[in-house]
Amino acid sequence: MEIQIISQKIVKPSVPTPDNLRNLKISFIDHLAPSVSVPLIFYYSANEHKNFIKSCENLEKSLSEVLTIFYPFAGRFIEDDLVVCCNDEGVKYVEAVVDLCLEDIIEGRLGLELLDCLVPNDDGADHSNSSSRPLVFIQVNTFRCGGVAVAVRGSHKIADAVTGMAFINAWASASRVGVHEVIPPSFVLPSKIPVRPSSGIFKLVPHVDANSKLVTQRYVFNKNAISALKLKAKAPVGNDNSRENANQFWVSKVEVVSAIIWKALISIAREKHGHLIPSVMVQNLNLRGRTSPLMPDNTCGNFYSVATARSTPDQSNIELHFLVALIRDAIRRTIHGYSKSVLDSDEFFSTVTSKFNEARDEMQRPVGESHFIWCSSWCKIPFYEADFGWGKPSWISNACRIAEMVTLQDTKSGEGVEAWVTLKGEDMIKFHQDKDVLAFTS
């Protein structure tokens, strides 16, 4: 796949940020978020009804307009001061031409590692100095067939997946119907949950083994597969290991997909070590709508927690229904902890601290004592609403990741789940051969 960079520039807000908004302190949870950037790519197939050339010309203008209301995104992070300097220095904007047909990517005829080429890099940035580095990188890729892929990579220090998608959908709306139709974001989290002095020790950074080659694969669980998994996940009535038959009732698609992946990874760890070892799955959990007071949907920044599920080395504990129950219990415990505390209270900060510490402690256990996997669900986030004027995307993808983890997202229909799994090369071979993975994915 050959890509030619046509232009690179910095796009700034169309209207300067007022002086009283020039410094935005990051929140307590922003401070705990890892210093990584998360890429997303939105693919739009060409047809005779789509004027991509005209719309692409409008993208830069609408981006400049939407940056006036998402003004921290055009700023720079001052790490020593724990503040986003909203100085309007802008985001990096790249235009590229791809000598390929978009369908070759959408239909899976190319390796996923090539998707990295569609994502803007920051080779020219000073990685030792965050104050000079853009917080958002964008690359608009035009394909030989006329299709377009818009790649956005934003810093996790200022945005979780919900906030990142709010920005992308706002940009799309501004491009399609005008910035006046965009719902203004709210940046109140730093005032509600300010950084506390001891918070730095709780940062969660996914473990990266520099000596291992990581491989990313995509697995699709369609509607029928998920229905079959839900039936399989029902605990047998009277089974002593059924967690009081919790799964006799409604089971979510995220629970069953997470559990079947976890089950396969537990089997891989058992084969590697010669016996079952404790296994831990940590999942991100959106806190919007789950705190007191409730924070509105347009709340921007990092507003998530982590739910930690732990399986002990017992053969009966790796059955699908049991793993589903463990995941469900971990999520319910986490939600319950936050429902009892009030924002900006000592109890809320204590809850955040305990949840992040629980995951951190599991992550730091020596290899062989415990197996750890990070799972992040992006299901229910409106990725497929990103209409820049060309209609809804034909597909949404991640790009390849740099740490062992699993990311879940809805299929375009909303009924299935795409699992993006990143593992060490030798583990990926075994995962791909797992009987459940083979049986329930395409």
Side-chain angles (χ1 to χ4, degrees), residues 46-57:
N47 64 43
E48 66 274 14
H49 302 295
K50 297 179 180 179
N51 190 338
F52 279 110
I53 295 178
K54 181 178 180 181
S55 296
C56 284
E57 292 172 351

Side-chain angles (χ1 to χ4, degrees), residues 164-355:
M165 199 58 232
F167 168 71
I168 293 167
N169 277 329
W171 177 26
S173 294
S175 181
R176 187 179 72 255
V177 295
V179 73
H180 59 280
E181 294 291 334
V182 173
I183 298 174
S186 169
F187 296 103
V188 299
L189 282 176
S191 63
K192 298 290 185 181
I193 45 173
V195 174
R196 293 199 174 188
S198 62
S199 63
I201 64 172
F202 311 125
K203 291 184 181 181
L204 289 176
V205 180
H207 175 69
V208 179
D209 186 345
N211 297 319
S212 296
K213 177 176 173 55
L214 295 177
V215 177
T216 300
Q217 294 288 349
R218 166 179 167 258
Y219 297 89
V220 179
F221 295 81
N222 62 30
K223 177 183 177 181
N224 292 336
I226 289 174
S227 296
L229 278 172
K230 287 181 177 181
L231 287 175
K232 185 180 176 68
K234 298 292 185 182
V237 176
N239 188 330
D240 292 337
N241 296 315
S242 64
R243 307 286 288 191
E244 298 180 353
N245 295 320
N247 299 334
Q248 284 296 313
F249 304 101
W250 183 81
V251 179
S252 77
K253 65 180 184 180
V254 170
E255 288 170 347
V256 292
V257 171
S258 300
I260 203 70
I261 291 173
W262 192 13
K263 186 173 183 291
L265 295 175
I266 289 173
S267 296
I268 292 170
R270 176 175 55 184
E271 182 179 345
K272 183 182 299 184
H273 297 287
H275 55 86
L276 283 172
I277 62 173
S279 184
V280 176
M281 174 172 277
V282 172
Q283 292 191 312
N284 290 353
L285 184 66
N286 180 20
L287 290 181
R288 294 165 181 83
R290 289 167 167 159
T291 59
S292 177
L294 296 177
M295 299 303 292
D297 291 340
N298 67 333
T299 299
C300 287
N302 285 287
F303 199 47
Y304 71 97
S305 187
V306 289
T308 303
R310 193 169 199 265
S311 171
T312 56
D314 183 321
Q315 180 65 38
S316 62
N317 289 1
I318 65 171
E319 295 301 321
L320 182 63
H321 70 269
F322 198 90
L323 296 177
V324 167
L326 288 176
I327 292 169
R328 173 177 293 182
D329 287 350
I331 291 173
R332 286 179 174 175
R333 285 197 312 272
T334 302
I335 293 173
H336 181 66
Y338 284 100
S339 67
K340 295 192 304 178
S341 58
V342 177
L343 283 175
D344 203 14
S345 69
D346 288 341
E347 188 176 11
F348 180 84
F349 284 88
S350 176
T351 301
V352 174
T353 298
S354 66
K355 296 302 179 184

Side-chain angles (χ1 to χ4, degrees), residues 4-208:
Q4 180 183 1
I5 302 299
I6 301 301
S7 68
Q8 300 186 63
K9 63 185 71 173
I10 294 293
V11 175
K12 299 183 178 183
S14 58
V15 177
T17 299
D19 289 341
N20 64 312
L21 300 178
R22 284 275 167 163
N23 290 295
L24 179 69
K25 286 283 188 179
I26 64 172
S27 76
F28 183 65
I29 301 178
D30 288 335
H31 191 35
L32 307 186
S35 298
V36 296
S37 57
V38 182
L40 278 172
I41 310 174
F42 299 77
Y43 303 87
Y44 300 87
S45 298
N47 64 43
E48 66 274 14
H49 302 295
K50 297 179 180 179
N51 190 338
F52 279 110
I53 295 178
K54 181 178 180 181
S55 296
C56 284
E57 292 172 351
N58 188 46
L59 285 182
E60 185 180 335
K61 175 178 178 291
S62 58
L63 174 61
S64 179
E65 291 172 341
V66 87
L67 285 173
T68 64
I69 56 177
F70 282 83
Y71 55 92
F73 287 50
R76 299 293 183 267
F77 178 51
I78 312 300
E79 189 166 6
D80 291 343
D81 297 332
L82 302 179
V83 67
V84 177
C85 180
C86 306
N87 52 15
D88 299 334
E89 291 194 2
V91 305
K92 184 175 180 179
Y93 186 81
V94 179
E95 294 180 322
V97 175
V98 185
D99 186 20
L100 192 75
C101 287
L102 184 62
E103 280 62 33
D104 290 333
I105 292 178
I106 294 176
E107 295 175 9
R109 291 194 284 267
L110 298 175
L112 293 181
E113 67 278 1
L114 292 177
L115 300 184
D116 289 340
C117 300
L118 303 176
V119 177
N121 63 56
D122 54 353
D123 293 342
D126 182 358
H127 291 263
S128 63
N129 182 12
S130 64
S131 63
S132 66
R133 184 183 183 191
L135 292 168
V136 177
F137 296 76
I138 294 169
Q139 184 166 314
V140 179
N141 303 278
T142 304
F143 287 77
R144 186 173 61 203
C145 59
V148 170
V150 178
V152 181
R153 185 157 63 86
S155 171
H156 208 327
K157 296 305 294 184
I158 62 166
D160 56 15
V162 174
T163 293
M165 199 58 232
F167 168 71
I168 293 167
N169 277 329
W171 177 26
S173 294
S175 181
R176 187 179 72 255
V177 295
V179 73
H180 59 280
E181 294 291 334
V182 173
I183 298 174
S186 169
F187 296 103
V188 299
L189 282 176
S191 63
K192 298 290 185 181
I193 45 173
V195 174
R196 293 199 174 188
S198 62
S199 63
I201 64 172
F202 311 125
K203 291 184 181 181
L204 289 176
V205 180
H207 175 69
V208 179

Side-chain angles (χ1 to χ4, degrees), residues 346-381:
D346 288 341
E347 188 176 11
F348 180 84
F349 284 88
S350 176
T351 301
V352 174
T353 298
S354 66
K355 296 302 179 184
F356 275 75
N357 271 345
E358 182 182 4
R360 181 204 60 185
D361 291 345
E362 295 290 355
M363 185 187 297
Q364 292 179 346
R365 290 183 186 274
V367 176
E369 286 188 14
S370 182
H371 168 258
F372 181 92
I373 189 68
W374 193 293
C375 182
S376 182
S377 172
W378 293 350
C379 294
K380 295 186 178 180
I381 298 177

